[in-house]
Amino acid sequence: MWKWKALKEREDGSLRPSAFRRGVVSSRAASLQLSNAKEFISLHRGAINSLEGDAAEGRYLLSAASDGTVAVFDTDTRHGHGHGHGHGHPLFHLSRAHKFAVSRALWYPVDTGLFITASFDHYVKLWDTNSTQVVLDYKLPAKVYGIAMSSIATSHTLIATATADVQVRLCDLASGAFSHTLSGHRDGVMSVEWSSSTEFVLITGGCDGAIRFWDIRRPGTFLLLDQSLSQLGTRPPLLPSPSNNESTSLPTSSKSSSSTPILPAQKRTSHKKIQLKPPTQWSHPGMASSQNRATAHYGAVNGLRATADGFYLLSSGSDSRLRLWDIESGRNTLVNYEAMSIQASKPIQLAVTPDSSLVFVPCMASLKAYDLWSGTTINSYRGHYESVNCCFFNAQDQELYTGSNDRQILVWAPSIPAATQIEEADSEGGITSIDQDNWSD
Amino acid sequence: MAESSQSQSGRKKRPRSESDDDPDADADAASLQSIQLGMLFLFSKNDLTFTDTAIALQMMKAQFPKLDKVVVRPFILRSQLYSSVKDRTQVDRDLESLKKEAVVRVFKLNTGKDDHAIMFMDDYLAQMENAVKRYDVKDKQLSEVFDWFKQYVIKSKTDVSISHPELCSLLSNGGDVTEKHVTLLINAGLLTRQLIDQNLYWFVIPNIGSILKGLSQGRKELLSLIKRTKYKEMVLANLEKKRLRLSPLDIRFHIRDLIGSGLLKTVQSPIGLLIRLSRD
């Protein structure tokens, strides 16, 4: 088997330990099946909208449901039933966390001492985990679809909120007030994500189909993703391409990604011509005005996920397309992820493996895993009875947790658990074969 | 390349497998001839190769069903292209470069989510001519806007949509542009307003409305045909013999389209190729 040969190679130095680890991790991530050993007993009485593991240990899973409840599960089941809770039961279950559905629950990025929940009752609440009490809450003008906190931020503790209102508000944890209001979207904002490479860049996806990049140190959007601007290949070409997509008869700004609205350069004017208002915009360097109507999807953008290296962005839309964008050039890489159907009404949660090889997309009642770069379907996970809303990939154990409208949280684990292989090898001191009976001598 | 032979031999009814005996010998010969003709036109700028996508487009154009009532030049749906060429990402990229070279034009259709129709540029221009001739222009002065449209807008704007200020500025390269000119373009069927945004227009293929209705109804009929079977599957040979009541397009057009959009899938079996309804 591959792993034993690779272990021998690692031992004698022909395979580097990091390469060995990468091989093991990626083979496990590609072989997920419904787990026999682990389960979570969900006490939620509503659809599960969000699943999030903590960044510090990857151990505690926070789930939020449509009946206003929030629960925390311990994903590490090796340590027995020490907590006094049954196997798979939540560590705690808040039954009246919010009045209406909780759309998203996040851990505080630094540790598990705090968590933040956002709900359709217009509130974003900050909770202390140990006492399970609300420490701070923010009232927003419309129902909150999603929240995000930057995991690499060292100079700010801002929560970005995506609401049904056209403005994105940033709530400051340190002061308890709103620090920024970002306007530019023309309809509600459904998904929000901080950049994984810069702590000041926020990415929002709206119901109007636009994806905007905001640098919070300056006003305005600096990049708007347009699905018609594309590049052939996952990296921008080194030499400029001979034909440019924006080659109209008008001059455009030098940075192709941020486009000012097309100022009409009319050759002949007459008093009967159509009156075009000069767009009111700041002459701010690198700012895309709110009149830029470029859309990234033909429907609402309901899921955003940046890859861990910060170069690419995945966006899913209610037009049932998943698109991969190159953040640096702002262009659509035209990777086509095979046929999927994405639910249109709710925000969904995508998951990407940390080595950016697989992307997990909830498609109606199943979850599909695609290869990130080529778009081929690797696997399709069917286990839920109703639409899957959220998924979380635990990078420590290479497990996938999915939550759906059928109120269940399912665990998908690699088909060969690593622990039993090591135990078998230890007990017998040699290579075991798969079909060796344990009662034969 | 194995890829090109597969797409060449795979005709409408054999999307992803080897070709068997084909009763349509004349379609075969016609497509071969058109491929040879197409080879002359489809060399891309950079090198002398042509892509699978281009070959597939030519073949499907040759197999476009002949309609009796409406005169429409052949167009290909994007989902049909996906079902005949294996690598979808490559299809997207090839299509993008063909669009930029103005060999084909892509239109967004309003049937269902994310439907696109691909038409060769000369077909589209011929279709446009027919539509303009048929449209009775009351004010003869305004009819010059069609020439402006053809000369300035189509050549430079290769997207599926255009905004109002940009349209006016491109048209004004030909002359003074008023609201009436834009209205004329919309009435002749060359542009449509977008529902979400009033300042944006979609490019459309004129006189295609009845076919689009047939397209969506034919899809539904074909899907219900398969849903009614006991195991939600049917042998391809039997399926092709059926005729759809509600759609003027033939059944192979719809089968290709539905396979490409993922609603149907093909399964190899000892009997032959089966078409099965795909579970979500």
Side-chain angles (χ1 to χ4, degrees), chain A residues 126-165:
Chain A
L126 181 71
W127 301 75
D128 178 332
T129 319
N130 292 317
S131 61
T132 61
Q133 297 291 323
V134 180
V135 174
L136 209 53
D137 61 12
Y138 302 93
K139 177 143 190 4
L140 289 149
K143 58 186 189 182
V144 189
Y145 285 124
I147 44 176
M149 265 196 92
S150 175
S151 51
I152 48 174
T154 53
S155 56
H156 68 81
T157 49
L158 296 173
I159 307 172
T161 58
T163 63
D165 183 35

Short mmCIF file of all heavy atoms in Angstrom, two decimals, chain A residues 126-165:
data_model
loop_
_atom_site.label_atom_id
_atom_site.label_comp_id
_atom_site.label_asym_id
_atom_site.label_seq_id
_atom_site.Cartn_x
_atom_site.Cartn_y
_atom_site.Cartn_z
N LEU A 126 -22.44 38.89 21.09
CA LEU A 126 -21.14 38.36 21.49
C LEU A 126 -21.35 37.61 22.80
O LEU A 126 -21.89 38.15 23.76
CB LEU A 126 -20.17 39.52 21.69
CG LEU A 126 -18.77 39.14 22.08
CD1 LEU A 126 -18.06 38.51 20.93
CD2 LEU A 126 -18.02 40.40 22.52
N TRP A 127 -20.93 36.36 22.84
CA TRP A 127 -21.15 35.52 24.01
C TRP A 127 -19.83 35.13 24.65
O TRP A 127 -18.84 34.90 23.98
CB TRP A 127 -21.84 34.21 23.60
CG TRP A 127 -23.15 34.35 22.92
CD1 TRP A 127 -23.37 34.75 21.64
CD2 TRP A 127 -24.42 34.07 23.48
NE1 TRP A 127 -24.70 34.75 21.35
CE2 TRP A 127 -25.37 34.32 22.47
CE3 TRP A 127 -24.85 33.64 24.72
CZ2 TRP A 127 -26.73 34.15 22.68
CZ3 TRP A 127 -26.20 33.46 24.93
CH2 TRP A 127 -27.13 33.72 23.90
N ASP A 128 -19.89 34.96 25.96
CA ASP A 128 -18.76 34.40 26.70
C ASP A 128 -19.03 32.89 26.77
O ASP A 128 -20.09 32.45 27.19
CB ASP A 128 -18.75 35.02 28.09
CG ASP A 128 -17.66 34.47 28.98
OD1 ASP A 128 -17.23 33.32 28.80
OD2 ASP A 128 -17.23 35.21 29.87
N THR A 129 -18.06 32.11 26.33
CA THR A 129 -18.31 30.67 26.24
C THR A 129 -18.47 30.01 27.59
O THR A 129 -19.30 29.14 27.78
CB THR A 129 -17.14 29.99 25.52
OG1 THR A 129 -16.73 30.79 24.45
CG2 THR A 129 -17.56 28.63 25.01
N ASN A 130 -17.67 30.40 28.55
CA ASN A 130 -17.72 29.69 29.83
C ASN A 130 -18.99 29.96 30.60
O ASN A 130 -19.54 29.07 31.23
CB ASN A 130 -16.50 30.07 30.67
CG ASN A 130 -15.24 29.53 30.04
OD1 ASN A 130 -15.20 28.40 29.58
ND2 ASN A 130 -14.21 30.36 29.97
N SER A 131 -19.47 31.18 30.54
CA SER A 131 -20.69 31.47 31.29
C SER A 131 -21.92 31.44 30.40
O SER A 131 -23.04 31.56 30.91
CB SER A 131 -20.59 32.85 31.93
OG SER A 131 -20.44 33.81 30.93
N THR A 132 -21.73 31.28 29.11
CA THR A 132 -22.80 31.30 28.09
C THR A 132 -23.76 32.45 28.30
O THR A 132 -24.98 32.31 28.34
CB THR A 132 -23.58 29.98 28.01
OG1 THR A 132 -24.20 29.73 29.27
CG2 THR A 132 -22.68 28.84 27.65
N GLN A 133 -23.17 33.63 28.48
CA GLN A 133 -23.98 34.84 28.64
C GLN A 133 -23.62 35.81 27.54
O GLN A 133 -22.49 35.82 27.05
CB GLN A 133 -23.67 35.52 29.98
CG GLN A 133 -24.00 34.68 31.18
CD GLN A 133 -25.48 34.52 31.32
OE1 GLN A 133 -26.25 35.44 31.05
NE2 GLN A 133 -25.91 33.34 31.73
N VAL A 134 -24.58 36.66 27.20
CA VAL A 134 -24.31 37.68 26.19
C VAL A 134 -23.49 38.79 26.82
O VAL A 134 -23.84 39.31 27.87
CB VAL A 134 -25.63 38.27 25.66
CG1 VAL A 134 -25.35 39.33 24.62
CG2 VAL A 134 -26.49 37.19 25.08
N VAL A 135 -22.38 39.11 26.17
CA VAL A 135 -21.55 40.18 26.70
C VAL A 135 -21.87 41.50 26.00
O VAL A 135 -21.89 42.57 26.60
CB VAL A 135 -20.06 39.81 26.49
CG1 VAL A 135 -19.16 40.94 26.89
CG2 VAL A 135 -19.74 38.56 27.27
N LEU A 136 -22.09 41.42 24.69
CA LEU A 136 -22.28 42.62 23.90
C LEU A 136 -23.29 42.29 22.81
O LEU A 136 -23.29 41.18 22.30
CB LEU A 136 -20.94 42.96 23.25
CG LEU A 136 -20.57 44.39 22.93
CD1 LEU A 136 -20.71 45.25 24.14
CD2 LEU A 136 -19.14 44.41 22.45
N ASP A 137 -24.14 43.27 22.45
CA ASP A 137 -24.94 42.99 21.26
C ASP A 137 -25.07 44.24 20.41
O ASP A 137 -24.91 45.36 20.89
CB ASP A 137 -26.30 42.37 21.61
CG ASP A 137 -27.14 43.27 22.46
OD1 ASP A 137 -26.80 44.45 22.63
OD2 ASP A 137 -28.16 42.79 22.99
N TYR A 138 -25.30 44.02 19.14
CA TYR A 138 -25.40 45.11 18.17
C TYR A 138 -26.73 44.96 17.47
O TYR A 138 -27.08 43.88 17.02
CB TYR A 138 -24.30 44.99 17.11
CG TYR A 138 -22.90 45.00 17.65
CD1 TYR A 138 -22.25 43.81 17.94
CD2 TYR A 138 -22.22 46.20 17.86
CE1 TYR A 138 -20.97 43.81 18.43
CE2 TYR A 138 -20.93 46.19 18.34
CZ TYR A 138 -20.32 45.00 18.64
OH TYR A 138 -19.05 45.00 19.12
N LYS A 139 -27.43 46.08 17.37
CA LYS A 139 -28.71 46.01 16.66
C LYS A 139 -28.51 46.56 15.27
O LYS A 139 -28.04 47.67 15.08
CB LYS A 139 -29.77 46.85 17.38
CG LYS A 139 -31.08 46.85 16.63
CD LYS A 139 -32.27 46.82 17.56
CE LYS A 139 -33.60 46.59 16.91
NZ LYS A 139 -33.75 46.33 15.55
N LEU A 140 -28.90 45.78 14.28
CA LEU A 140 -28.72 46.18 12.89
C LEU A 140 -30.07 46.49 12.28
O LEU A 140 -31.09 46.04 12.78
CB LEU A 140 -28.02 45.03 12.15
CG LEU A 140 -26.58 44.95 12.63
CD1 LEU A 140 -26.09 43.55 12.58
CD2 LEU A 140 -25.71 45.82 11.76
N PRO A 141 -30.08 47.23 11.19
CA PRO A 141 -31.38 47.64 10.66
C PRO A 141 -32.14 46.57 9.90
O PRO A 141 -33.31 46.75 9.60
CB PRO A 141 -31.01 48.79 9.70
CG PRO A 141 -29.61 48.56 9.35
CD PRO A 141 -28.97 47.92 10.53
N ALA A 142 -31.49 45.47 9.58
CA ALA A 142 -32.22 44.46 8.81
C ALA A 142 -31.70 43.09 9.22
O ALA A 142 -30.76 42.99 9.99
CB ALA A 142 -31.99 44.68 7.32
N LYS A 143 -32.29 42.05 8.68
CA LYS A 143 -31.87 40.74 9.15
C LYS A 143 -30.46 40.41 8.63
O LYS A 143 -30.09 40.75 7.53
CB LYS A 143 -32.86 39.65 8.76
CG LYS A 143 -33.14 39.49 7.33
CD LYS A 143 -34.26 38.46 7.20
CE LYS A 143 -34.46 38.07 5.76
NZ LYS A 143 -35.54 37.14 5.58
N VAL A 144 -29.72 39.75 9.50
CA VAL A 144 -28.30 39.53 9.24
C VAL A 144 -28.11 38.19 8.57
O VAL A 144 -28.51 37.16 9.09
CB VAL A 144 -27.52 39.54 10.57
CG1 VAL A 144 -26.03 39.54 10.29
CG2 VAL A 144 -27.90 40.74 11.40
N TYR A 145 -27.51 38.20 7.40
CA TYR A 145 -27.28 36.95 6.68
C TYR A 145 -25.96 36.30 7.05
O TYR A 145 -25.81 35.10 6.99
CB TYR A 145 -27.28 37.19 5.17
CG TYR A 145 -28.63 37.40 4.57
CD1 TYR A 145 -28.91 38.55 3.85
CD2 TYR A 145 -29.63 36.47 4.72
CE1 TYR A 145 -30.15 38.75 3.29
CE2 TYR A 145 -30.88 36.67 4.17
CZ TYR A 145 -31.13 37.81 3.45
OH TYR A 145 -32.35 38.02 2.88
N GLY A 146 -24.98 37.12 7.36
CA GLY A 146 -23.68 36.52 7.64
C GLY A 146 -22.77 37.49 8.36
O GLY A 146 -22.96 38.70 8.31
N ILE A 147 -21.78 36.94 9.03
CA ILE A 147 -20.79 37.77 9.71
C ILE A 147 -19.42 37.16 9.43
O ILE A 147 -19.32 35.99 9.08
CB ILE A 147 -20.99 37.84 11.24
CG1 ILE A 147 -21.31 36.47 11.80
CG2 ILE A 147 -22.03 38.85 11.60
CD1 ILE A 147 -21.42 36.46 13.29
N ALA A 148 -18.41 37.98 9.62
CA ALA A 148 -17.05 37.45 9.44
C ALA A 148 -16.10 38.25 10.30
O ALA A 148 -16.28 39.45 10.49
CB ALA A 148 -16.63 37.55 7.98
N MET A 149 -15.10 37.53 10.80
CA MET A 149 -14.03 38.22 11.53
C MET A 149 -12.72 37.77 10.93
O MET A 149 -12.58 36.61 10.56
CB MET A 149 -14.04 37.80 13.01
CG MET A 149 -14.80 38.74 13.89
SD MET A 149 -14.42 38.50 15.60
CE MET A 149 -13.10 39.66 15.82
N SER A 150 -11.77 38.66 10.86
CA SER A 150 -10.52 38.31 10.22
C SER A 150 -9.66 37.49 11.17
O SER A 150 -9.45 37.89 12.32
CB SER A 150 -9.79 39.59 9.82
OG SER A 150 -8.54 39.27 9.30
N SER A 151 -9.14 36.37 10.70
CA SER A 151 -8.35 35.53 11.59
C SER A 151 -6.90 35.97 11.67
O SER A 151 -6.16 35.49 12.49
CB SER A 151 -8.42 34.08 11.12
OG SER A 151 -8.10 34.03 9.76
N ILE A 152 -6.50 36.89 10.79
CA ILE A 152 -5.11 37.33 10.82
C ILE A 152 -5.00 38.76 11.32
O ILE A 152 -3.96 39.37 11.26
CB ILE A 152 -4.48 37.25 9.42
CG1 ILE A 152 -5.41 37.91 8.41
CG2 ILE A 152 -4.21 35.83 9.04
CD1 ILE A 152 -4.81 37.99 7.05
N ALA A 153 -6.09 39.30 11.84
CA ALA A 153 -6.06 40.72 12.22
C ALA A 153 -5.30 40.91 13.51
O ALA A 153 -5.55 40.24 14.50
CB ALA A 153 -7.49 41.22 12.39
N THR A 154 -4.39 41.85 13.50
CA THR A 154 -3.70 42.18 14.74
C THR A 154 -3.99 43.59 15.19
O THR A 154 -3.76 43.94 16.33
CB THR A 154 -2.18 42.06 14.55
OG1 THR A 154 -1.83 42.84 13.41
CG2 THR A 154 -1.77 40.63 14.33
N SER A 155 -4.50 44.41 14.29
CA SER A 155 -4.72 45.80 14.70
C SER A 155 -6.18 46.17 14.82
O SER A 155 -6.49 47.27 15.21
CB SER A 155 -4.06 46.74 13.69
OG SER A 155 -4.57 46.48 12.43
N HIS A 156 -7.06 45.24 14.49
CA HIS A 156 -8.48 45.59 14.67
C HIS A 156 -9.24 44.34 15.08
O HIS A 156 -8.80 43.22 14.87
CB HIS A 156 -9.07 46.19 13.40
CG HIS A 156 -9.19 45.21 12.25
ND1 HIS A 156 -10.22 44.30 12.13
CD2 HIS A 156 -8.42 45.04 11.17
CE1 HIS A 156 -10.06 43.62 11.04
NE2 HIS A 156 -8.98 44.04 10.42
N THR A 157 -10.38 44.58 15.71
CA THR A 157 -11.25 43.46 16.09
C THR A 157 -12.63 43.80 15.56
O THR A 157 -13.55 44.11 16.30
CB THR A 157 -11.33 43.30 17.62
OG1 THR A 157 -11.60 44.58 18.18
CG2 THR A 157 -10.06 42.74 18.18
N LEU A 158 -12.75 43.79 14.25
CA LEU A 158 -14.00 44.21 13.63
C LEU A 158 -14.77 43.00 13.14
O LEU A 158 -14.20 42.06 12.59
CB LEU A 158 -13.70 45.12 12.43
CG LEU A 158 -13.04 46.44 12.76
CD1 LEU A 158 -12.67 47.15 11.48
CD2 LEU A 158 -13.97 47.32 13.56
N ILE A 159 -16.07 43.06 13.35
CA ILE A 159 -16.96 42.03 12.81
C ILE A 159 -17.67 42.65 11.62
O ILE A 159 -18.34 43.66 11.75
CB ILE A 159 -18.02 41.63 13.84
CG1 ILE A 159 -17.40 41.24 15.16
CG2 ILE A 159 -18.86 40.48 13.31
CD1 ILE A 159 -18.43 41.03 16.22
N ALA A 160 -17.52 42.05 10.47
CA ALA A 160 -18.23 42.54 9.29
C ALA A 160 -19.58 41.84 9.22
O ALA A 160 -19.66 40.63 9.39
CB ALA A 160 -17.43 42.22 8.04
N THR A 161 -20.64 42.61 9.00
CA THR A 161 -21.97 42.01 8.98
C THR A 161 -22.59 42.20 7.61
O THR A 161 -22.55 43.29 7.04
CB THR A 161 -22.90 42.67 10.01
OG1 THR A 161 -22.97 44.05 9.72
CG2 THR A 161 -22.39 42.47 11.40
N ALA A 162 -23.18 41.14 7.11
CA ALA A 162 -23.87 41.18 5.82
C ALA A 162 -25.35 41.10 6.11
O ALA A 162 -25.83 40.10 6.66
CB ALA A 162 -23.45 39.98 4.97
N THR A 163 -26.06 42.14 5.76
CA THR A 163 -27.48 42.19 6.11
C THR A 163 -28.31 42.38 4.85
O THR A 163 -27.79 42.60 3.76
CB THR A 163 -27.78 43.36 7.05
OG1 THR A 163 -27.46 44.56 6.35
CG2 THR A 163 -26.95 43.28 8.30
N ALA A 164 -29.61 42.38 5.06
CA ALA A 164 -30.51 42.62 3.94
C ALA A 164 -30.52 44.10 3.55
O ALA A 164 -31.08 44.47 2.52
CB ALA A 164 -31.92 42.17 4.31
N ASP A 165 -29.89 44.92 4.34
CA ASP A 165 -29.74 46.34 4.03
C ASP A 165 -28.58 46.49 3.05
O ASP A 165 -27.66 45.68 3.04
CB ASP A 165 -29.44 47.07 5.34
CG ASP A 165 -29.36 48.56 5.16
OD1 ASP A 165 -30.11 49.09 4.33
OD2 ASP A 165 -28.56 49.18 5.86
#
